[in-house]
Amino acid sequence: MDKKTEEDIIKCSRCGLCADVCPVYKAKHTESALLRGKFLQLLGLIKGELKYSKRLKASIAECLGCEKCKIQCPSGLSATKIFEKIKYENLNKFEKFLYGKFMLKMKILALKVFYRVKHPIKSIVSGKKHTVTKWNKELVHFNGCLSKCINTEFALPFEFSEGNFECCGLPYKTKGNLDVYRDAELKNVKEIENTRGLVVFNCATCLSAARSYIFNSPESKEKLVFYTEVYKEFLKTRKLTSKKPVTVTFHNPCHLKSAGVSLLHVEEILKSVENLTYVKLENPDECCGFGGDFFLSHPRTADFLSTKKIDDVINSGAQIVLTACPTCLWSLKYGLKKRKIRNIKAYDMAEFLYSLDFNEK
């Protein structure tokens, strides 16, 4: 373990403030689920009192990577970075293959097939065409791995092109395969820096990952925008209208917040839509529990958090719940289907906005 990681682990005062925000702890209420408990085990690893066992490995893996604890931590510790380094140092050859590029493609393919079987309904924008215009800035779309198989109908009110990007790298990073992550980061940094205009994201997780890249020129980070920025520009001269009166709410993905996109910014756009009523969820920032492939390895915890989220959606009285992350969308659809709720629909917000009527002001 490198010295910086050891220092960060020792720096943890075990105050327990992370208990107020940790989704996993709220679901399990065990000390091992809390960051304090995980760090105590890692302290034992540093002192040589513990070995990197299956039990310790499982404890570290029981993290959604939402980084809510980092915001709450008085010392500003990033648990995800610490866990990534420890996983990297203890990664064996089989795990390097399992969490590598080839296996990620196979996992995405399997998830795509599974998702299509579970949610065969066509996108609300299938076949929809709007007259789009050129913006004074070039728009290049960063299409994430899961977005390609879940949010397949991404469109914008301005002309855009598809960028030649790698996976954002977060699936490798969270598993500790940092060599493959750095390779993806370098390729994406080069592509972003060579882009003349803006790089538009429709996945909160991909944007959060890209915002953490190390760029050769710091101003390149300013090219990274969420698609809501495009709609903000569009709304200067046009308006969005819903054909029928509808009430909507919004689940705020953990990574949208960590990417620096304010919920107020999203709400501003939704409130501007004519014939639409926006209601705020009671706990819009609470994690839905799916977090990448967390729902596969920890189904009970994911199910508990998804159920809580659906309770909030029902209590809001909304007919539609929107979000901006593929796995969050999956979680919402899963929760609604499990509860056999047919009068509430879950949509990706980008697809929902494009399904509305575009009119001149």
Side-chain angles (χ1 to χ4, degrees):
M1 193 182 301
D2 65 78
K3 192 175 180 180
K4 175 68 169 60
T5 305
E6 286 188 8
E7 288 174 353
D8 284 344
I9 292 168
I10 295 168
K11 197 186 292 182
C12 173
S13 63
R14 265 73 73 185
C15 64
L17 286 175
C18 46
D20 294 334
V21 294
C22 177
V24 178
Y25 180 73
K26 288 179 181 180
K28 302 194 75 174
H29 294 285
T30 60
E31 192 67 17
S32 63
L34 188 60
L35 194 57
R36 177 175 60 194
K38 296 180 195 296
F39 274 21
L40 277 171
Q41 294 176 79
L42 294 177
L43 199 59
L45 190 67
I46 292 170
K47 293 179 178 180
E49 297 169 356
L50 292 176
K51 291 184 178 180
Y52 190 74
S53 61
K54 287 184 179 179
R55 191 172 181 178
L56 178 54
K57 183 179 176 181
S59 178
I60 292 171
E62 201 171 39
C63 172
L64 278 157
C66 64
E67 297 220 303
K68 285 183 169 65
C69 55
K70 182 182 178 181
I71 299 168
Q72 190 82 342
C73 180
S75 303
L77 296 175
S78 174
T80 52
K81 283 187 178 180
I82 292 169
F83 295 159
E84 286 159 11
K85 287 181 180 179
I86 292 168
K87 289 174 187 176
Y88 174 69
E89 290 170 3
N90 293 278
L91 215 61
N92 58 45
K93 288 184 178 180
F94 175 70
E95 287 172 328
K96 285 183 179 180
F97 170 74
L98 188 63
Y99 306 136
K101 286 186 177 182
F102 174 76
M103 285 306 296
L104 178 64
K105 288 179 180 178
M106 293 300 101
K107 288 174 188 176
I108 294 295
L109 179 61
L111 285 172
K112 182 177 181 178
V113 173
F114 185 75
Y115 182 81
R116 292 291 170 230
V117 171
K118 290 288 183 180
H119 308 286
I121 301 170
K122 282 186 177 182
S123 166
I124 53 172
V125 296
S126 291
K128 182 117 184 176
K129 295 288 183 182
H130 282 300
T131 301
V132 294
T133 57
K134 281 189 177 181
W135 194 7
N136 58 4
K137 295 179 181 177
E138 179 187 350
L139 301 177
V140 180
H141 180 216
F142 188 110
N143 201 3
C145 302
L146 274 177
S147 289
K148 289 175 183 176
C149 63
I150 295 177
N151 304 332
T152 57
E153 302 285 348
F154 178 73
L156 287 171
F158 293 106
E159 288 183 7
F160 69 95
S161 60
E162 290 293 344
N164 186 28
F165 299 104
E166 292 278 313
C167 166
C168 70
L170 204 65
Y172 311 126
K173 194 179 183 185
T174 55
K175 299 298 185 183
N177 203 346
L178 299 184
D179 292 332
V180 180
Y181 165 75
R182 290 187 187 107
D183 180 59
E185 178 188 18
L186 286 171
K187 288 179 180 177
N188 286 335
V189 163
K190 185 178 179 181
E191 193 71 23
I192 290 166
E193 290 185 332
N194 289 336
T195 299
R196 289 177 295 175
L198 301 176
V199 180
V200 183
F201 293 75
N202 65 308
C203 172
T205 304
C206 290
L207 177 59
S208 179
R211 286 259 167 97
S212 70
Y213 290 165
I214 299 171
F215 290 95
N216 298 310
S217 52
E219 60 271 14
S220 293
K221 194 173 287 190
E222 296 174 10
K223 296 179 181 181
L224 313 178
V225 299
F226 204 54
Y227 65 86
T228 47
E229 287 292 335
V230 177
Y231 274 97
K232 194 174 178 181
E233 181 67 24
F234 175 78
L235 289 169
K236 289 179 180 179
T237 57
R238 306 282 185 91
K239 61 182 179 181
L240 299 171
T241 307
S242 174
K243 287 183 178 179
K244 297 178 181 179
V246 63
T247 302
V248 306
T249 190
F250 182 79
H251 161 61
N252 197 25
C254 298
H255 284 113
L256 193 62
K257 191 172 184 178
S258 64
V261 180
S262 168
L263 177 60
L264 292 173
H265 177 61
V266 173
E267 291 177 328
E268 183 184 350
I269 291 172
L270 291 175
K271 287 176 181 178
S272 71
V273 179
E274 295 183 352
N275 218 16
L276 179 147
T277 302
Y278 167 75
V279 290
K280 190 173 184 176
L281 279 180
E282 187 177 345
N283 302 294
D285 298 327
E286 284 289 310
C287 184
C288 70
F290 267 43
D293 65 354
F294 185 88
F295 71 101
L296 294 174
S297 52
H298 302 88
R300 288 186 181 179
T301 304
D303 184 76
F304 174 84
L305 294 170
S306 177
T307 299
K308 277 184 66 180
K309 179 60 64 175
I310 296 304
D311 285 340
D312 286 345
V313 172
I314 293 168
N315 293 335
S316 73
Q319 300 159 276
I320 292 174
V321 54
L322 304 171
T323 193
C325 167
T327 48
C328 288
L329 179 61
W330 195 333
S331 175
L332 293 168
K333 287 188 174 185
Y334 161 81
L336 291 170
K337 196 168 186 177
K338 184 188 175 186
R339 300 274 286 275
K340 297 180 180 178
I341 298 168
R342 295 183 174 85
N343 61 334
I344 303 174
K345 303 296 182 185
Y347 296 123
D348 173 66
M349 193 174 82
E351 293 189 14
F352 176 77
L353 291 177
Y354 195 78
S355 75
L356 299 172
D357 288 340
F358 292 2
N359 300 302
E360 297 282 349
K361 278 190 175 179

